[in-house]
Amino acid sequence: MKNIYSETREDLETYFLSMGEKKFKAVQVLEWLYQKREPNLENWSNIKKELREKIAHDFAFTMPKIIKREQDELTEKYLIELADNEHIEAVLMRHDYGNSVCVSSQVGCNMGCAFCESGRLKKIRNLETYEMVCQILLIEKLIEERISSIVIMGIGEPLDNYENVIRFIKIINDAKAIAIGARHITLSTCGLIPQIKQLMTLPLQINLAISLHASNNDLRSQLMQVNKAYNLDILIDTIKEYIDKTNRRVTIEYVMLNNVNDGIKNAEELARLLRGLNVYVNLIPYNETNHLEFKKSNHSQIMKFYDTLKKNKINVTIRKEFGSKISAACGQLRSKEVN
Ligand code: SAH
């Protein structure tokens, strides 16, 4: 049975039209679910009883559960249990401009990036749309605050779960549902080319972030398996095409690994690769994990790298560090079964 929180406005419109009901019922349902946050159908006073019964019969209203909450000053991490007893994590970050949530898109991940903890558990399955939507609903309910931005940067490769992730974005972006502006939604990918090409044809003004992490193909292939399928040349061409088509600036993520990809030569090489592109580079201080041998670059090395990019006229920022004390930082999320 379909879950109601997986349904976009168009899905609900099709549903209502197919049984001879008015299309605006779809908006009424979204308003009950997302604006009034009233999951109890019996209280849906503007929808007649027979129709409510039909909806109750056709859709599940179940949600995953938050089973553990860990906090440090600006970050909270949640362990979420899914209906089939799989687990994922989501992270809340408190910024001065509002709350953002880092959402997971799969149970495990098959992309096999050498430095990432999440990928140590191979993909078990894609998340359903409602399992992503509910990460937001559950957190908002728990903290009794609104979330103003979303990054799809948790466990999983979102473009390896393309259909469900796009439906998730449509629902959170819908003005009658969660109403998070597209410019406050960022999708991060390791670089699945066919899906990036598909994404650029959609009328969604979301931010795209690309996990680049290396300045040449040899290095990138060592760090990221995906580079063997879609290498840097194809990736850079696709980013160009994306920018031309969408007129949107793309974020380049570059995790700083001590003595691996953080040399001045790498910075110069990266600058050449990105010259003239409407991108900005986000340098990510590496978060060490117990299981992987990579070390974080020291601060002065990060600053040298930063300065080299600046000198070469590349826009660059250093990602603010969140949540490393509670293993909630980039690349530290996992499902609890992994030791
Ligand atoms: N699969 C997507 C979404 C994950 S986003 C992607 O690859 O983009 C998580 C981001 O954190 C990615 O840029 C990832 O490369 C980076 N990352 C992974 N492990 C990390 C770690 N230990 N420290 C810092 N960043 C890490």
Side-chain angles (χ1 to χ4, degrees):
M1 198 195 304
K2 286 188 189 169
N3 188 294
I4 194 86
Y5 296 104
S6 285
E7 300 296 286
T8 62
R9 187 196 296 216
E10 300 92 80
D11 297 334
L12 291 169
E13 285 175 350
T14 308
Y15 169 73
F16 285 118
L17 287 172
S18 77
M19 52 191 181
E21 289 288 341
K22 292 278 190 308
K23 173 166 135 168
F24 70 80
K25 293 278 167 217
V27 166
Q28 292 179 331
V29 169
L30 294 180
E31 284 172 346
W32 284 113
L33 293 174
Y34 298 107
Q35 296 188 348
K36 306 188 186 99
R37 300 284 161 108
E38 176 52 87
N40 185 355
L41 265 156
E42 283 169 25
N43 296 330
W44 293 8
S45 50
N46 54 4
I47 298 181
K48 59 182 190 286
K49 187 152 183 284
E50 304 80 72
L51 188 54
R52 293 202 306 258
E53 282 167 359
K54 177 90 173 85
I55 297 170
H57 175 267
D58 291 340
F59 294 99
F61 280 65
T62 47
M63 286 194 175
K65 289 191 192 68
I66 294 181
I67 58 168
K68 190 169 166 201
R69 176 184 191 181
E70 289 171 84
Q71 295 172 273
D72 71 13
E73 301 85 51
L74 295 173
T75 316
E76 297 193 11
K77 182 172 75 167
Y78 312 96
L79 181 65
I80 298 175
E81 186 165 273
L82 309 172
D84 57 356
N85 277 318
E86 297 296 347
H87 296 86
I88 48 155
E89 292 183 320
V91 177
L92 168 76
M93 289 160 283
R94 296 177 191 280
H95 306 269
D96 36 18
Y97 56 81
N99 294 325
S100 75
V101 165
C102 176
V103 170
S104 289
S105 57
Q106 298 179 315
V107 181
C109 181
N110 275 349
M111 296 300 119
C113 299
F115 47 82
C116 181
E117 179 72 18
S118 302
R120 293 201 313 120
L121 177 70
K122 288 294 149 237
K123 176 170 105 178
I124 294 173
R125 65 173 177 86
N126 284 329
L127 291 191
E128 297 293 331
T129 300
Y130 81 93
E131 292 171 319
M132 292 179 264
V133 171
C134 288
Q135 292 175 49
I136 298 165
L137 297 179
L138 290 168
I139 294 170
E140 284 192 334
K141 184 158 189 205
L142 186 70
I143 66 173
E144 299 181 321
E145 291 171 44
R146 297 310 306 261
I147 290 159
S148 54
S149 61
I150 298 294
V151 295
I152 311 173
M153 298 192 182
I155 302 165
E157 167 49 51
L159 294 186
D160 186 37
N161 183 13
Y162 186 86
E163 299 296 331
N164 292 344
V165 166
I166 296 302
R167 293 157 65 84
F168 162 68
I169 293 171
K170 286 184 179 162
I171 294 170
I172 61 174
N173 180 232
D174 192 313
K176 297 294 180 185
I178 304 186
I180 297 175
R183 287 180 170 69
H184 301 278
I185 301 172
T186 301
L187 182 152
S188 176
T189 178
C190 64
L192 299 183
I193 302 299
Q195 291 92 322
I196 297 174
K197 286 186 189 278
Q198 221 175 324
L199 193 62
M200 63 178 102
T201 66
L202 298 182
L204 286 171
Q205 299 283 305
I206 60 167
N207 304 307
L208 179 67
I210 304 281
S211 293
L212 205 76
H213 305 327
S215 54
N216 61 60
N217 272 316
D218 277 353
L219 184 56
R220 194 162 191 268
S221 293
Q222 283 168 37
L223 296 173
M224 301 174 73
Q225 302 242 345
V226 68
N227 201 63
K228 295 173 186 159
Y230 305 115
N231 69 24
L232 268 181
D233 312 276
I234 299 166
L235 182 55
I236 297 291
D237 281 350
T238 307
I239 294 170
K240 267 192 199 129
E241 196 183 326
Y242 183 94
I243 296 167
D244 287 345
K245 265 232 166 80
T246 63
N247 262 317
R248 300 202 45 79
R249 183 160 79 161
V250 168
T251 304
I252 301 294
E253 297 168 284
Y254 196 99
V255 64
M256 298 295 291
L257 303 165
N258 187 41
N259 285 330
V260 174
N261 65 356
D262 65 347
I264 299 303
K265 283 218 157 59
N266 296 111
E268 287 166 350
E269 204 170 29
L270 183 62
R272 279 198 295 279
L273 208 56
L274 300 178
R275 185 155 298 152
L277 288 181
N278 183 18
V279 295
Y280 88 92
V281 177
N282 196 206
L283 298 177
I284 311 177
Y286 182 62
N287 300 299
E288 296 176 7
T289 84
N290 291 334
H291 306 100
L292 304 168
E293 73 278 22
F294 295 97
K295 295 286 170 227
K296 73 190 293 174
S297 305
N298 59 45
H299 182 70
S300 69
Q301 194 58 33
I302 297 180
M303 289 320 295
K304 278 188 213 153
F305 200 97
Y306 175 93
D307 289 338
T308 307
L309 289 179
K310 278 253 142 153
K311 221 169 48 204
N312 283 279
K313 308 244 171 357
I314 303 290
N315 295 313
V316 53
T317 55
I318 299 174
R319 182 173 291 178
K320 186 169 157 46
E321 291 177 77
F322 272 99
S324 53
K325 277 190 216 146
I326 53 172
S327 293
C330 307
Q332 296 184 319
L333 300 185
R334 59 191 180 83
S335 116
K336 77 170 183 192
E337 286 86 357
V338 187
N339 292 306

